[in-house]
Amino acid sequence: MVLSEPYWDHHIPLPKLGPLYSRLVTAFVALICFINSYDGDFVFDDSEAIINNKVAGIVGRADLLCALFFQLSFLVYCKAFQGGDKKFSVLWIFGSILLCAVAMLCKEQGITVLGVNAAYDILMVCNLNIYELAHQLSGLLMRLALLFLGGSFLLYARWRIMGTGPPSFTEVDNPASFAENVILRIVNYNYYYSLNAWLLLCPWWLCFDWSMGCVPLIKSATDWRIFWPLLLWCCLMGLVYQALCSQDSNKRRTLTFGLVLLVIPFLPASNLFFRVGFVIAERVLYLSSAGYCLILAYAVGYCSCHWKKHKVCATTLTLLCVNVARSAQRSQQWRSEQSLFASALSVCPLNAKVHYNVGKNLADRGNQSAAVKYYREAVRLHPKYVHAMNNLGNILKERNELKEAEELLSAAVHIQPDFAAAWMNLGIVQNSLKKFDEAEQSYWNAIRFRKKYPDCYYNLGRLYADLNRSIDALNAWRNATMLKPDHSLAWNNMVILLDNTGNLAQAELIGKEALKILPKDHTIMFSLANVLGKQEKYKESEGFFLNALKINPNIASCHGNLAVLYHRWGKLDLAKRHYELSLRLDPSAPGTKENYNMLKRKLEQRQRTVG
């Protein structure tokens, strides 16, 4: 019997807007139906687990719910003005604020609906008429005060929930925000805005993650990419001019409200008020798409009045079909990790996280040789990518390339000293290299940074067992089972160690305690049966052996040890049967062959005696 080996730590049409509002709602519903063409807020960067998305629509559920309650909040706010001219309902306004709170709980971006409501109030309800505005000023101020107070309360609540401080991000998440030169920071922010605008216009190049070098920084005035922010602002200024200076009041209000819906929901992602944790996040365009749809609907209506209607209709239908086809294609890419990550390679070949996730997926499917290639590329692109170092070190250890594995894991913990998993894996490598003191220190470092770490206690116990420090090993495994009561390997190793050191009574107690928690664990049954057999409790031992074989009838060692039990018990025919079953499953087992030969000699002697 041997101890188990260590293992690795491996998101009502309204009269004021008329037909255009109906077009907006229709366009927004269509957008929601095909929303899975954009990517959700998932970061596949955990060395221990990875999300397996089988249904494309699930990944954006938080953003979809936020969009739903955003729209409901806006509709409820509009409902507040249906009581007649110059009248409004405070109750409906409070209902709108409540729905805003629900939208914000789904996604922080939901709070921007208060700004949209305020813009609707000024543009559509008060109609931006200075003379009438004076008569409606008191009501407007009251409504804006309610929105302001509601928004302030929600922001405070959110601030408290987040722990009274903003989340921390690293340079790889949003490199432009860490640029020391303010001019460069502003230029790159505007370049990000232009990329977001392009994704709205042409959502063709989509990626589940845009960080880690996917969008290189603009660092000089000669970089041709500066043209795109300039083009963006020219287009925006043109729209703003039309929205403010057009002679057509309906055009002014529609374009202004479209710009409000386009810009205000995007403000939390703009880096203007606080640093965000991404370069581009396609999910933040969900709500802004409503403004884009409204402007686009107005543009189609305008073109149909000045151009030939059949050409406008044909162009619109072609555009719709292309986007529907793209949505269907993107949904197919989201059906598996393999297709999703492979699609990102062509969009962001400089993104280390993309290479990491491709490698992780390959490793999970057993193709470790190919995984090593992608992990190495991830480390080359981002030399401080500790998760890639950790996983690459794991594979190299399994391939017995221990020296390089130790170097990678040592570099990982040097870069990120609180990386508990890397500390534990480094300890396993050092243990394999017979660097026992260093391995012990690495294990304790892992436990220092992750207090409740049963797997590390388990591996620490393995180290102590190799050093014949039996009491320390038992204590480590006991800690593992206290932190994780169903830690089968720790329970089993305690039984085996107590058996090997002759503490059979204590081994029996530990084994029975373990089976109360893990009643169907055949490995513990096997170890306990061995202990009971050595104590000549043959009947009880037989029961545990047979129960283990019921769960897994193809365990050669279990048949072999049950045969030994029958051999000692004097049930030679049963012993012969299980020796033969064991040898059939594992013909090369030397101990079983010797015992079987002893049994055959004994049976021959018995036959001669009888004869």
Side-chain angles (χ1 to χ4, degrees):
M1 293 181 291
V2 296
L3 299 177
S4 304
E5 289 299 317
Y7 61 92
W8 291 81
D9 194 17
H10 292 325
H11 182 348
I12 308 171
L14 294 173
K16 290 288 183 181
L17 279 172
L20 281 177
Y21 185 75
S22 299
R23 287 183 229 172
L24 167 64
V25 173
T26 304
F28 199 85
V29 170
L31 173 74
I32 293 297
C33 291
F34 297 107
I35 201 123
N36 52 21
S37 67
Y38 290 97
D39 297 328
D41 185 18
F42 285 88
V43 179
F44 301 90
D45 196 28
D46 191 348
S47 60
E48 300 174 26
I50 195 162
I51 297 169
N52 188 14
N53 298 295
K54 296 297 183 186
V55 182
I58 291 176
V59 298
R61 61 193 181 277
D63 304 280
L64 286 169
L65 287 170
C66 176
L68 171 64
F69 289 108
F70 182 102
Q71 288 290 300
L72 288 174
S73 176
F74 176 65
L75 290 173
V76 168
Y77 191 80
C78 295
K79 185 76 173 176
F81 301 98
Q82 292 189 354
D85 193 26
K86 299 183 181 179
K87 294 182 180 179
F88 63 93
S89 169
V90 174
L91 185 62
W92 283 108
I93 292 176
F94 275 116
S96 175
I97 294 173
L98 180 62
L99 287 167
C100 170
V102 178
M104 188 187 70
L105 290 173
C106 298
K107 210 73 176 177
E108 297 88 342
Q109 200 179 4
I111 198 170
T112 58
V113 71
L114 297 180
V116 173
N117 291 345
Y120 169 81
D121 200 335
I122 296 170
L123 293 171
M124 304 302 169
V125 177
C126 297
N127 204 21
L128 270 183
N129 188 313
I130 192 64
Y131 301 106
E132 293 182 10
L133 185 62
H135 296 287
Q136 301 182 47
L137 191 57
S138 60
L140 174 64
L141 290 177
M142 180 181 178
R143 296 190 296 270
L144 293 181
L146 289 173
L147 292 176
F148 176 77
L149 291 174
S152 299
F153 173 77
L154 293 178
L155 285 174
Y156 175 75
R158 180 69 186 178
W159 180 67
R160 295 286 297 181
I161 291 171
M162 291 175 64
T164 65
S168 59
F169 301 110
T170 62
E171 186 173 354
V172 295
D173 297 320
N174 186 358
S177 66
F178 287 85
E180 294 182 2
N181 189 304
V182 177
I183 304 282
L184 286 179
R185 201 181 309 164
I186 293 171
V187 169
N188 281 281
Y189 284 162
N190 280 273
Y191 179 58
Y192 294 165
Y193 304 157
S194 66
L195 290 177
N196 279 282
W198 179 248
L199 287 176
L200 273 178
L201 290 169
C202 181
W204 198 259
W205 292 276
L206 301 174
C207 184
F208 70 89
D209 183 89
W210 292 83
S211 64
M212 289 195 173
C214 193
V215 182
L217 288 178
I218 295 174
K219 295 183 178 180
S220 77
T222 58
D223 194 319
W224 66 271
R225 292 176 296 167
I226 290 179
F227 167 77
W228 296 114
L230 295 175
L231 179 61
L232 170 68
W233 281 108
C234 287
C235 293
L236 281 177
M237 289 300 103
L239 283 172
V240 170
Y241 176 80
Q242 290 294 319
L244 297 179
C245 303
S246 175
Q247 298 297 319
D248 186 345
S249 61
N250 182 54
K251 180 180 180 180
R252 287 200 308 270
R253 285 182 294 154
T254 303
L255 288 179
T256 303
F257 192 63
L259 286 169
V260 166
L261 275 173
L262 181 69
V263 173
I264 289 182
F266 183 75
L267 288 178
S270 66
N271 289 285
L272 289 177
F273 306 110
F274 46 81
R275 175 185 291 153
V276 298
F278 49 81
V279 175
I280 296 173
E282 293 155 14
R283 66 189 182 277
V284 304
L285 299 177
Y286 291 172
L287 298 178
S288 294
S289 297
Y292 168 70
C293 290
L294 180 57
I295 295 172
L296 184 62
Y298 183 85
V300 171
Y302 178 84
C303 292
S304 64
C305 295
H306 294 80
W307 298 352
K308 293 183 179 180
K309 290 188 177 181
H310 68 277
K311 290 185 177 180
V312 175
C313 184
T315 303
T316 304
L317 286 174
T318 302
L319 182 63
L320 178 63
C321 290
V322 169
N323 279 276
V324 169
R326 176 57 178 141
S327 295
Q329 180 192 32
R330 189 59 176 162
S331 291
Q332 289 295 322
Q333 292 173 342
W334 268 97
R335 286 186 179 273
S336 69
E337 292 174 351
Q338 183 181 1
S339 59
L340 176 66
F341 299 152
S343 70
L345 280 174
S346 60
V347 178
C348 287
L350 300 178
N351 190 334
K353 193 178 291 184
V354 170
H355 290 274
Y356 167 84
N357 282 308
V358 173
K360 180 71 169 64
N361 181 256
L362 289 167
D364 290 343
R365 291 188 286 118
N367 192 350
Q368 293 192 338
S369 297
V372 166
K373 169 189 169 185
Y374 286 99
Y375 282 144
R376 289 193 188 280
E377 181 64 11
V379 174
R380 186 190 70 81
L381 291 169
H382 182 48
K384 294 184 179 181
Y385 199 171
V386 292
H387 291 287
M389 292 177 182
N390 179 57
N391 286 15
L392 178 57
N394 290 349
I395 294 178
L396 293 175
K397 188 271 175 186
E398 292 170 7
R399 294 167 63 170
N400 208 34
E401 299 177 28
L402 300 177
K403 195 66 180 175
E404 186 180 359
E406 183 185 22
E407 291 174 359
L408 280 166
L409 292 166
S410 297
V413 296
H414 179 73
I415 295 167
Q416 185 178 327
D418 62 347
F419 193 0
W423 275 117
M424 190 192 79
N425 293 335
L426 177 60
I428 294 173
V429 172
Q430 291 167 335
N431 192 4
S432 300
L433 290 169
K434 309 300 181 186
K435 298 180 179 180
F436 299 120
D437 292 338
E438 294 177 38
E440 181 181 8
Q441 185 58 50
S442 294
Y443 286 140
W444 282 115
N445 283 336
I447 293 168
R448 178 160 60 93
F449 293 116
R450 188 189 296 181
K451 304 297 182 185
K452 297 180 179 180
Y453 205 172
D455 295 342
C456 193
Y457 276 112
Y458 165 76
N459 286 317
L460 180 62
R462 281 285 308 139
L463 171 66
Y464 288 145
D466 291 342
L467 296 174
N468 295 319
R469 294 167 58 179
S470 300
I471 295 176
D472 290 333
L474 288 171
N475 288 334
W477 288 329
R478 174 57 77 177
N479 283 331
T481 57
M482 289 174 65
L483 293 170
K484 186 181 179 183
D486 61 346
H487 203 302
S488 173
L489 292 173
W491 283 114
N492 196 43
N493 279 12
M494 280 194 283
V495 176
I496 293 172
L497 182 58
L498 290 168
D499 180 4
N500 291 343
T501 54
N503 296 307
L504 299 180
Q506 190 178 356
E508 180 183 351
L509 290 174
I510 294 291
K512 290 180 177 179
E513 181 185 352
L515 286 177
K516 289 179 182 177
I517 300 169
L518 299 163
K520 295 184 178 180
D521 192 309
H522 63 84
T523 59
I524 297 174
M525 290 179 187
F526 172 73
S527 300
L528 179 57
N530 289 327
V531 171
L532 293 168
K534 290 180 181 179
Q535 296 181 86
E536 298 184 356
K537 297 180 180 180
Y538 296 134
K539 189 66 179 175
E540 195 176 357
S541 176
E542 178 193 29
F544 283 113
F545 274 129
L546 292 176
N547 285 335
L549 287 171
K550 283 181 183 177
I551 297 170
N552 191 343
N554 297 318
I555 309 175
S557 59
C558 195
H559 284 288
N561 283 19
L562 178 57
V564 171
L565 178 74
Y566 285 136
H567 196 159
R568 292 181 178 180
W569 199 356
K571 298 185 177 184
L572 302 185
D573 293 333
L574 287 173
K576 181 175 180 293
R577 176 190 167 199
H578 284 281
Y579 277 138
E580 290 172 350
L581 286 171
S582 177
L583 288 171
R584 195 179 305 157
L585 292 167
D586 184 10
S588 63
T592 305
K593 282 184 179 180
E594 292 175 8
N595 289 335
Y596 184 48
N597 291 331
M598 287 173 57
L599 176 67
K600 286 197 293 186
R601 287 194 295 270
K602 193 170 186 178
L603 289 171
E604 289 171 359
Q605 288 176 358
R606 187 175 69 174
Q607 286 178 353
R608 284 196 297 269
T609 303
V610 172

